[in-house]
Structures are given as C-alpha cells and as structure tokens.
Amino acid sequence: MMKRKTILAAVLAAVAALICAFTLAGCGGDEVEKIEGSSGLEYQLSADGTYYTVTGVGTCSDVDVVIGNWHNDLPVRGIGERVLRNFDYDVNSITVSQGIDLFGAAAVSNFTMKRLVLPNGIETYGSAAFIRSEKLEEIVFGTGLKKIEYDSFMGCGEDVTIYFRGTEAEWAEVEIESQGNELIDGYTVVCNYTGA
C-alpha cells in the first residue's frame, strides 16, 4: 500500500511539473506574457494545428511592428521567409516577442527599420538573417545566442549598436561567421542590456 502511495505521489508530482512547464503563466517560474501582434499580419496554422507562423504583412499599418506570440488562442512560434521585407511603407521598429523560435531565411530583415528587438532563447540566426536592413541603427539580442551565420549583416548600416542581454563573456563565445558580417567588427556592443 505504501509503495502505491509513493508511486502515485511521484506520478502526480511529474504531471504537475509538466503542466507548469507547458503553461504560459505559472508555478513561480519564468512567465511568458501572451502578446497579440500588430493588427493585420497574416498567419498560417501549423500542420499539426498547435501553433501559428507569421506569413505576411497583410494589412498591417503599424510603424512600430510587434510580432506577437499569441493568435486565435494558440501560440505563434515562427516568422516565414522574407516576411518582414514586404511592407509598402517605412517601418521604424520591429519587436519579436518571447516564445518565437522559428525563423525563415531573412525573416527579420527589413529595408527601413531602425530598431530590431529579438527574444531570449534563440541560439542561431541563419544565413542572411538581417540582410539589407540598410537603416538599422540598433539591434537587441536575447540571452542564449550561440551563432550568427554568414551574410546576416550584409548590406546593413555601418553605425549599428548591438545590445546583448547576456554578459561580455557570453558575447565573446558567440560564433559569428565572417562572410558577409565584416561590418560587425565596427559595431558598438553593449552587454548586460536590461532595456526594452
């Protein structure tokens, strides 16, 4: 009888831990605020019906665009290829919400944005991630960054400030492929950033 109670208690504890891990609010851990994105963006539901990806700018008219992490009662996890380039007006800033971790090629590239804010937890930005963001002045990287692939900063502005939420030691460990990222050597890097 005692063995059954112990097993039952262990199972209940495991279930409670899983519920805490998968809810957006809860159990004293890191909470991810549900953020609806800028109005008018277009989304596609995943094949398994569990999350959305931003696939187009649609009728969005915000100059400070927010890629939210919540749409139609489901999480938004990704941004499709070259989606943020297709605005037919000048964009001042793009903020990508916490929880988005799937990025298509050149997903966070935009010709007119001056500021780009990225979430914590993204380990790698693929090739051409920010390519031709010609007016970029500030980019905020979250913690957990490990690698920036080739051509990510090709065609970007020459006077960019990189704000990094991690430490100087963590920034020194980030692998930045040299091809197409030569400009980064002249950028100002501010570590331990705590701003928005």
Side-chain angles (χ1 to χ4, degrees):
M1 184 70 165
M2 187 63 140
K3 189 175 181 180
R4 275 192 198 161
K5 286 183 179 178
T6 303
I7 291 171
L8 180 59
V11 169
L12 290 174
V15 169
L18 283 172
I19 291 170
C20 287
F22 290 108
T23 56
L24 288 175
C27 299
D30 290 338
E31 296 181 10
V32 176
E33 178 185 359
K34 293 179 183 178
I35 298 172
E36 292 280 343
S38 291
S39 179
L41 294 173
E42 296 173 344
Y43 300 86
Q44 180 176 346
L45 187 61
S46 64
D48 63 4
T50 60
Y51 67 90
Y52 283 98
T53 298
V54 178
T55 57
V57 298
T59 60
C60 181
S61 60
D62 292 355
V63 294
D64 294 305
V65 178
V66 174
I67 305 299
N69 59 19
W70 201 253
H71 178 72
N72 284 347
D73 295 323
L74 285 174
V76 176
R77 287 203 45 216
I79 305 170
E81 291 187 13
R82 296 175 180 81
V83 169
L84 302 180
R85 286 183 170 218
N86 300 322
F87 292 93
D88 58 3
Y89 60 90
D90 288 355
V91 170
N92 182 54
S93 69
I94 297 173
T95 299
V96 181
S97 299
Q98 189 66 34
I100 294 178
D101 59 359
L102 304 172
F103 292 87
V108 285
S109 163
N110 180 276
F111 302 128
T112 66
M113 72 175 168
K114 295 177 182 172
R115 187 165 201 265
L116 174 62
V117 179
L118 299 164
N120 292 333
I122 306 301
E123 291 189 358
T124 301
Y125 287 97
S127 59
F130 324 110
I131 194 168
R132 303 228 14 235
S133 295
E134 299 163 357
K135 296 186 179 179
L136 186 65
E137 295 174 0
E138 298 179 342
I139 184 167
V140 178
F141 285 112
T143 57
L145 180 63
K146 304 287 186 206
K147 184 174 184 179
I148 299 172
E149 293 187 359
Y150 67 92
D151 293 344
S152 288
F153 286 98
M154 186 188 333
C156 289
E158 294 183 12
D159 187 20
V160 174
T161 300
I162 295 173
Y163 295 96
F164 181 55
R165 291 194 175 102
T167 65
E168 287 182 37
E170 290 169 326
W171 178 255
E173 293 295 317
V174 175
E175 179 186 346
I176 302 171
E177 292 189 15
S178 59
Q179 178 185 324
N181 291 325
E182 296 84 0
L183 288 171
I184 204 167
D185 291 335
Y187 291 171
T188 300
V189 178
V190 178
C191 295
N192 300 305
Y193 181 68
T194 58

